[in-house]
Amino acid sequence: MKIDVVPCSVDNYSYLLFCKTSQKAAVVDPTEAQSLLKKLEAEKYSLTAIFCTHHHHDHTGDIDALLRVFPEAEVVCHRTDVGRIKAATTPVEDGDEVGFGEQFGKVLHTPGHTHGSICYLFGDALFVGDTLFGAGCGRLFEGDAAQMYSSLMDKIAPLPEATMLYFGHEYTRKNLEFATLVESDNPEIEKRRGELELAGGVSTPTTISLEKKTNPFLRTGAPGVKNTAVSKGAFADDPVSVFAAIRQMRNQF
Ligand SMILES: [Zn+2]
């Protein structure tokens, strides 16, 4: 399966997934239809699935524009988002199988950013929406810290280290600045900041391995992260409380 990264709007990412054997394609989080349609036309693929990671408008805004060209495409989202994503055809739940062409993936329910946030795992590619970012995680708009912490640690972190994580926004530079503030004694963060500049600022996809080394929200057990959180009132031996304190700090950063 070929994956195209499609930067759009201010800092959003959509992703086009191509099944070469069937000439069918899918999109994850359609923000702007125009650039997606142009690529589909250039590659002569037909769109058969739209995978939504959550209901926010900057991830679902151009579903209707895509459906005008590909009316048969199914629109997949978590069952609790069906009312909020009007064009939804295929409600899914944790563990469900999804597919397009001859490609098959699995749904992981990862509430926290929103109640209906889901990730899609195709082989070693995980599309995480706004649950995890490069060196960061999504804001807690609907869920609480315990939910988000569990989504990150119980659903995403246990996947193989080489799993590629395709996220919804390019926030990595700012997140790494924040990570330095939280854990100033971690040399991996400085190393990653240097690599990001060399890469021209585009940091998707990342990997589980890199996030475990540099993402403060996956490092609640690291002494530097714990100390910073404790200075903000967290309990050192309660990872959810450490996570919540760091998330709160990031909101004000
Ligand atoms: Zn969002």
Side-chain angles (χ1 to χ4, degrees):
M1 186 179 80
K2 183 165 91 83
I3 300 168
D4 270 14
V5 175
V6 187
C8 43
S9 190
V10 182
D11 49 33
N12 278 81
Y13 286 120
S14 294
Y15 298 100
L16 273 172
L17 285 48
F18 298 98
C19 174
K20 289 180 190 167
T21 42
S22 65
Q23 290 285 113
K24 303 259 165 52
V27 61
V28 177
D29 289 353
T31 302
E32 289 171 347
Q34 214 182 359
S35 46
L36 298 167
L37 289 170
K38 211 188 270 181
K39 275 184 178 254
L40 289 166
E41 201 185 344
E43 307 244 3
K44 303 213 175 339
Y45 275 74
S46 62
L47 186 77
T48 60
I50 298 170
F51 296 120
C52 305
T53 61
H54 64 298
H55 70 87
H56 284 159
H57 190 260
D58 60 322
H59 296 255
T60 56
D62 261 2
I63 291 177
D64 289 345
L66 290 178
L67 290 176
R68 276 196 286 277
V69 182
F70 296 104
E72 304 296 317
E74 64 172 334
V75 180
V76 183
C77 67
H78 190 255
R79 60 175 177 77
T80 58
D81 271 348
V82 169
R84 306 203 268 190
I85 298 174
K86 298 279 179 261
T89 60
T90 312
V92 292
E93 184 48 278
D94 189 59
D96 282 357
E97 191 175 84
V98 291
F100 70 100
E102 293 172 22
Q103 309 297 320
F104 295 95
K106 197 181 122 184
V107 172
L108 276 65
H109 185 208
T110 51
H113 178 65
T114 64
H115 293 313
S117 285
I118 52 179
C119 302
Y120 298 91
L121 181 65
F122 284 88
D124 65 352
L126 184 70
F127 298 89
V128 293
D130 290 358
T131 295
L132 180 146
F133 298 122
C137 75
R139 276 177 188 260
L140 307 178
F141 282 121
E142 296 172 13
D144 61 20
Q147 256 183 337
M148 184 59 129
Y149 183 76
S150 167
S151 291
L152 293 170
M153 299 309 287
D154 302 334
K155 297 279 179 68
I156 297 177
L159 293 170
E161 297 276 302
T163 306
M164 315 280 267
L165 305 173
Y166 293 81
F167 47 81
H169 290 271
E170 184 57 61
Y171 295 153
T172 310
R173 184 174 286 129
K174 180 123 197 239
N175 284 341
L176 284 169
E177 258 178 65
F178 176 71
T180 301
L181 177 77
V182 172
E183 196 185 11
S184 55
D185 60 348
N186 179 351
E188 294 291 338
I189 296 171
E190 291 316 305
K191 193 174 149 210
R192 187 172 181 187
R193 287 177 82 165
E195 285 164 358
L196 179 65
E197 296 313 316
L198 288 175
V202 175
S203 65
T204 189
T206 175
T207 61
I208 300 263
S209 158
L210 183 58
E211 294 311 315
K212 281 184 177 170
K213 285 187 229 166
T214 57
N215 188 328
F217 298 101
L218 298 182
R219 296 179 56 76
T220 52
V225 177
K226 266 194 202 180
N227 289 341
T228 302
V230 168
S231 77
K232 299 288 175 188
F235 303 106
D237 49 4
D238 175 0
V240 172
S241 138
V242 171
F243 175 87
I246 301 296
R247 185 57 256 179
Q248 187 59 36
M249 274 179 79
R250 180 64 179 86
N251 291 349
Q252 287 144 9
F253 181 67

